Amino acid sequence: VCACVRVCAAIMLADAEHTHDEACGLACGQTPGAAIMAKLGAIDDANERTAAVRDNFQECDDTAMEFLAARLQAGDAGNWQALLLDLQEIMQERLEAGKELLVALLASGEINVLDRKVVEKVKSGECDPSFLNVLQINMQDAQENADQEDGQRLNVLMHIYTRVQEELEKKAKPAVGLLHKLLRMIDEPGIRTNVLEYNLKPKPEAERALIVIDGKMILEGGALVSPMDFSKAIVDYMNRIRGMDQIDEAGFTEDDIAQTFEDCRVIAKEARVQVEQFYEQTELDEFTESLTPVFEPIMGTLASYRRPQ
């Protein structure tokens, strides 16, 4: 299973599961994951804390784990060690649930029944990171065993993965969904070019609809995804996976993450071609400048991860 598939799947779930809004109750500048972890760490009663961890487990993303790791490393007073043990216990529970879910999906029999179950399980939140870890382990095992039975099994597992990704993309913001779709197409440059053009190319003004935002009637944006929204999706995605190698349970190596960064660089470069073709120079410069600080410091490292053309 390629690195970008595994890393992309984990981030896709986090992107689809949380919407940052006023209900987060965030301190200024604090990420949703860190805010959740701070609230959990402030609960003294063990039973109450464990129940709260279970209720909020889906929100405990990599930023939450980084926050907890920082508290533990600093030796801060509080319930941080107990909170870590709660998380580990629930992670194990989720892995067992993930195994049971995969067995149930594989027993579906017909492909339309399988697809319907995948839709239901994504909507219910059961296709969580633990399920994806189980799915990835099984995909790796099927890849390493080349007999006919495992080949058929791999095809079914890849179908499950693809359908889960498609359903998660529907729940994500357009720019985020586009990025994850392109990462799944990393070995298909021709298709990527068409997808980028379709999403980034502005509509002619005559084809744009009037929409109401904050009580005001305005003309809708020219493209399905604006260049700067797409740039932000790339930057946010890369920032989120920078801390993955610090999380033991994530199961990602430095090579996995570096390969994913290189794949993001390729996609950003291809997107820039579209922006250059369809937008003014000022917008092209803005797009380029927004991405330069992310890629420039790691260009030397990424050179070792170029995919064969």
Side-chain angles (χ1 to χ4, degrees), residues 31-297:
T31 65
I36 289 291
M37 197 63 78
K39 290 181 179 179
L40 295 174
I43 301 174
D44 293 324
D45 182 82
N47 292 331
E48 181 184 348
R49 186 180 56 252
T50 301
V53 171
R54 184 169 281 107
D55 291 342
N56 292 276
F57 187 77
Q58 299 285 31
E59 312 299 335
C60 294
D61 58 14
D62 55 297
T63 64
M65 298 304 293
E66 288 173 20
F67 178 88
L68 177 58
R71 303 285 79 73
L72 290 167
Q73 187 174 6
D76 290 355
N79 304 306
W80 307 116
Q81 188 62 45
L83 178 55
L84 177 62
L85 293 175
D86 288 339
L87 285 165
Q88 290 174 339
E89 179 181 347
I90 294 170
M91 284 175 186
Q92 187 59 43
E93 291 177 6
R94 292 300 180 96
L95 283 173
E96 293 302 320
K99 293 176 185 178
E100 294 176 5
L101 175 55
L102 183 57
V103 169
L105 291 176
L106 290 171
S108 298
E110 299 180 8
I111 199 71
N112 61 328
V113 176
L114 172 59
D115 286 352
R116 186 168 63 249
K117 286 184 179 180
V118 167
V119 173
E120 292 172 355
K121 299 306 181 182
V122 170
K123 287 182 178 179
S124 69
E126 293 174 73
C127 290
D128 62 5
S130 299
F131 168 74
L132 281 174
N133 281 341
V134 171
L135 178 56
Q136 290 154 13
I137 290 168
N138 278 266
M139 290 166 67
Q140 187 68 47
D141 182 65
Q143 272 190 328
E144 291 172 355
N145 294 278
D147 59 53
Q148 184 176 4
E149 180 180 351
D150 279 322
Q152 294 172 349
R153 178 180 173 81
L154 178 60
N155 288 338
V156 177
L157 292 169
M158 287 297 295
H159 179 77
I160 293 173
Y161 166 78
T162 300
R163 289 294 295 115
V164 169
Q165 283 289 91
E166 289 172 348
E167 292 304 312
L168 290 171
E169 285 166 7
K170 293 177 184 177
K171 298 172 68 176
K173 294 179 180 179
V176 175
L178 173 59
L179 175 59
H180 289 288
K181 179 179 291 186
L182 293 168
L183 285 166
R184 289 196 292 113
M185 300 175 175
I186 200 62
D187 294 321
E188 302 172 283
I191 297 177
R192 284 202 313 275
T193 298
N194 293 336
V195 170
L196 277 165
E197 179 176 343
Y198 176 77
N199 283 275
L200 295 178
K201 182 179 180 179
K203 295 179 184 178
E205 189 168 319
E207 296 180 12
R208 301 183 199 177
L210 288 171
I211 57 176
V212 178
I213 296 181
D214 296 331
K216 297 179 180 179
M217 185 79 73
I218 64 171
L219 201 63
E220 70 175 348
L224 295 175
V225 174
S226 75
M228 290 310 297
D229 282 349
F230 190 57
S231 168
K232 185 178 185 302
I234 294 173
V235 172
D236 289 349
Y237 178 83
M238 292 180 65
N239 284 338
R240 295 189 69 181
I241 63 177
R242 284 184 193 280
M244 277 194 162
D245 58 345
Q246 301 173 19
I247 306 171
D248 293 338
E249 293 82 3
F252 304 120
T253 67
E254 290 183 4
D255 285 341
D256 290 337
I257 293 173
Q259 183 64 69
T260 305
F261 281 2
E262 166 59 16
D263 294 341
C264 286
R265 185 197 65 81
V266 170
I267 290 169
K269 182 178 178 181
E270 293 171 342
R272 187 185 184 282
V273 172
Q274 299 298 325
V275 177
E276 184 175 22
Q277 181 176 354
F278 297 116
Y279 292 84
E280 300 294 333
Q281 184 65 42
T282 54
E283 292 166 300
L284 174 63
D285 291 343
E286 186 180 12
F287 181 81
T288 303
E289 290 168 4
S290 68
L291 291 169
T292 299
V294 180
F295 289 108
E296 193 171 58

